[in-house]
């Protein structure tokens, strides 16, 4: 009998030990999950941009939706805008922004009831803001990233390659006030110099930008470009004032930059030294700039000619081409200049050599380029064209 009781006690002890082991094992498992989840959460700022990039590159609809949707009818729509991203494009119509693939299929859509929408794009994100209003929204290929309602009116805004956005607003204290938001929508920098901020270029690293501010002196516009480092409160560098109203600034590949003025073009080096100036002989009607290439359209008064002037960041002498047909729109992309007439869309290099072309069967108001394809915004529809590449 004693042996039987001893056996039962041993079994009970064994069961208790097993229960304790299971409890400790489960507790350790839960703690491991909590530690891992905490690490993922607190390090999200490091891995989230990479994950977002993978999702955006890999996102696609299934094969059942492969039917092409071009041309897209916009005859009954308002506020139509388009913009280009990497491997996709965006279309704003009425009160929504949709992201679409090269066949015109909708990948995502966001409701944005803006009265004066402006669309700005980088390779991975689109920024839509209500000019003169208070709202903005940042969208990726897969949907909304973040949106904001600001306290002050938005004058203009731009989006950088790393996801930063720069927003210029008017305030009670300043005519224009710059705020930088990071890729998650968090405020990281503020700046104002009391003058009118007219142009901004965000660097690809997300660490800083160049910003142009303009003022009037002696009845003439003056513009100064300042270099801002988001980790510093003081200006890193700035140019001497130039006699023009700055319309745009953009980095070159050697870390210099262009200053596009209303009366002249300026090319600066990395140390903010002026390399050369090109003063316009005629009225500037359109321009496009992207890294090492800049294209400008001039319309001399009293003639039917159109001058397309091309600038290479590595050359001081421009290339000038004369056309007798109106140029409706111009874009710069991947070291080339694209422009369309009523009948053709052409691509040329910085020396004016034709590198691509496509016939147009309808008038095109504007367009965006995505590799060898163009998405054309007409007056009644949006269409797609493939460029025939010339060797």
């Amino acid at each position: 009998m004693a042996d039987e009781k001893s056996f039962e006690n041993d079994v009970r002890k064994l069961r208790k030990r097993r229960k304790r082991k299971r409890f400790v094992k489960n507790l350790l498992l839960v703690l491991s999950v909590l530690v891992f989840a905490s690490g993922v959460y607190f390090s999200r700022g490091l891995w989230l941009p990479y994950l977002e990039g993978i999702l955006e590159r890999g996102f696609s609809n299934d094969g059942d939706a492969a039917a092409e949707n071009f041309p897209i009818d916009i005859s009954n729509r308002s506020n139509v805008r388009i913009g280009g991203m990497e491997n996709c494009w965006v279309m704003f119509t009425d009160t929504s922004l949709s992201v679409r693939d090269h066949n015109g299929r909708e990948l995502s859509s966001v409701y944005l009831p803006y009265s004066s929408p402006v669309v700005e794009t980088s390779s991975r994100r689109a920024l839509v803001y209500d000019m003169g209003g208070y709202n903005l929204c940042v969208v990726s290929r897969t949907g909304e990233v973040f949106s904001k309602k600001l306290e002050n009116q938005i004058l203009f805004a731009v989006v950088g390659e790393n996801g930063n956005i720069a927003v210029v607003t008017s305030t009670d204290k300043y005519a224009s006030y710059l705020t930088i938001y990071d890729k998650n929508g968090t405020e990281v920098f503020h700046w104002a110099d009391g003058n009118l901020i007219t142009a901004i270029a965000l660097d690809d690293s997300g660490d800083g930008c160049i910003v142009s501010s303009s003022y009037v002196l002696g009845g003439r516009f003056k513009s100064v470009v300042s270099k801002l480092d988001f980790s510093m409160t003081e200006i890193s560098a700035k140019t001497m004032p130039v006699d023009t109203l700055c319309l745009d600034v953009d980095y070159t590949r050697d870390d210099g930059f262009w200053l596009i003025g209303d009366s002249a073009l300026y090319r600066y080096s990395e140390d903010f030294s002026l390399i050369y100036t090109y003063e316009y002989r005629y009225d500037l009607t359109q321009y496009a700039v992207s890294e090492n290439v800049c294209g400008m359209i001039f319309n001399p008064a009293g003639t039917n000619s159109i001058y397309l002037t091309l600038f290479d960041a590595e050359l001081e002498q421009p290339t000038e081409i004369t056309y007798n047909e109106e140029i409706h729109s111009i874009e710069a992309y991947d070291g080339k200049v694209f422009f369309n007439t009523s009948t053709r869309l052409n691509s040329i290099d910085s020396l004016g050599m034709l590198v691509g072309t496509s016939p147009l069967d309808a008038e095109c108001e504007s367009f965006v380029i995505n590799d060898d394809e163009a998405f054309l915004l007409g007056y009644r529809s949006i269409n797609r064209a493939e460029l025939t590449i010339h060797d």
Side-chain angles (χ1 to χ4, degrees):
M1 190 72 176
D3 292 339
E4 185 177 347
K5 288 183 178 179
S6 175
F7 175 76
E8 289 177 354
N9 290 333
D10 290 341
V11 170
R12 291 192 188 100
K13 290 178 181 179
L14 182 61
R15 287 173 178 171
K16 287 181 180 179
R17 283 199 298 270
R18 287 177 176 173
K19 286 182 180 179
R20 284 198 296 269
K21 285 183 179 180
R22 284 199 298 269
F23 174 77
V24 172
K25 183 178 179 181
N26 292 336
L27 179 61
L28 290 175
L29 180 61
V30 171
L31 289 176
S32 299
V33 172
L34 289 175
V35 170
F36 176 76
S38 298
V40 170
Y41 176 79
F42 288 111
S43 64
R44 66 190 185 280
L46 298 175
W47 57 265
L48 190 59
Y50 298 98
L51 179 60
E52 177 186 320
I54 293 171
L55 289 173
E56 290 172 3
R57 289 191 296 270
F59 186 88
S60 63
N61 287 335
D62 55 33
D64 294 336
E68 293 188 359
N69 293 328
F70 291 106
I72 300 172
D73 183 15
I74 58 170
S75 58
N76 294 320
R77 301 182 182 184
S78 60
N79 287 337
V80 182
R81 310 283 190 274
I82 60 174
M85 295 170 61
E86 186 178 54
N87 299 322
C88 61
W89 59 287
V90 297
M91 176 179 72
F92 188 100
T93 61
D94 301 321
T95 57
S96 66
L97 179 83
S98 63
V99 182
R100 296 176 176 252
D101 69 6
H102 73 105
N103 285 322
R105 298 173 299 187
E106 186 176 281
L107 304 177
S108 63
S109 180
V110 181
Y111 175 67
L112 301 171
Y114 297 169
S115 58
S116 300
V118 178
V119 177
E120 297 284 344
T121 59
S122 65
S123 61
R124 292 184 180 179
R125 291 187 172 186
L127 164 67
V128 187
Y129 64 92
D130 196 3
M131 186 171 62
Y134 302 87
N135 295 285
L136 62 85
C137 182
V138 176
V139 177
S140 72
R141 184 182 177 99
T142 55
E144 180 179 323
V145 179
F146 66 85
S147 60
K148 288 186 174 294
K149 183 172 184 179
L150 307 182
E151 295 181 357
N152 299 302
Q153 285 185 308
I154 300 172
L155 301 179
F156 72 95
V158 296
V159 58
E161 280 300 316
N162 82 315
N164 284 359
I165 63 170
V167 184
V168 177
T169 56
S170 61
T171 69
D172 294 336
K173 186 176 180 181
Y174 297 101
S176 56
Y177 188 76
L178 170 65
T179 303
I180 304 295
Y181 299 89
D182 69 11
K183 58 184 176 294
N184 301 313
T186 303
E187 294 183 22
V188 295
F189 188 78
H190 302 272
W191 184 82
D193 66 352
N195 297 318
L196 182 64
I197 299 172
T198 60
I200 299 167
L202 293 163
D203 66 27
D204 289 346
S205 69
D207 296 329
C209 69
I210 52 176
V211 54
S212 171
S213 57
S214 300
Y215 58 94
V216 176
L217 180 65
R220 297 174 62 91
F221 279 111
K222 302 278 188 178
S223 294
V224 174
V225 177
S226 303
K227 181 180 181 180
L228 305 179
D229 186 325
F230 299 153
S231 65
M232 303 170 57
T233 57
E234 300 296 326
I235 294 174
S236 301
K238 67 178 181 178
T239 65
M240 296 295 292
V242 292
D243 294 330
T244 193
L245 172 63
C246 179
L247 305 175
D248 206 352
V249 289
D250 198 28
Y251 286 105
T252 54
R253 290 178 185 169
D254 60 2
D255 293 325
F257 61 93
W258 306 96
L259 187 162
I260 312 295
D262 68 332
S263 58
L265 169 72
Y266 301 83
R267 165 78 166 95
Y268 288 90
S269 64
E270 182 181 5
D271 64 2
F272 277 54
S273 299
L274 180 62
I275 297 176
Y276 65 81
T277 302
Y278 178 84
E279 295 185 356
Y280 310 152
R281 294 176 294 161
Y282 311 106
D283 290 337
L284 176 66
T285 58
Q286 292 188 69
Y287 71 89
V289 59
S290 176
E291 292 186 332
N292 276 24
V293 65
C294 178
M296 294 185 162
I297 298 176
F298 299 96
N299 189 2
T303 71
N304 293 323
S305 298
I306 300 293
Y307 292 162
L308 174 57
T309 305
L310 304 168
F311 300 87
D312 188 305
E314 299 178 356
L315 304 173
E316 293 193 14
Q317 292 298 321
T319 299
E320 189 174 274
I321 306 172
T322 303
Y323 289 92
N324 294 320
E325 191 175 5
E326 182 181 0
I327 297 176
H328 296 287
S329 187
I330 183 171
E331 295 288 342
Y333 174 80
D334 194 26
K336 298 182 282 291
V337 172
F338 299 78
F339 64 94
N340 74 293
T341 65
S342 297
T343 58
R344 301 198 74 82
L345 173 66
N346 292 324
S347 171
I348 56 178
D349 63 19
S350 60
L351 299 178
M353 299 297 295
L354 184 69
V355 294
T357 186
S358 177
L360 301 179
D361 56 8
E363 283 201 13
C364 170
E365 180 182 357
S366 65
F367 59 87
V368 295
I369 302 296
N370 194 323
D371 294 329
D372 296 332
E373 292 182 325
F375 301 99
L376 313 169
L377 174 60
Y379 296 101
R380 300 183 62 84
S381 64
I382 297 175
N383 217 327
R384 184 183 67 182
E386 293 187 7
L387 290 163
T388 301
I389 305 301
H390 294 262
D391 296 328

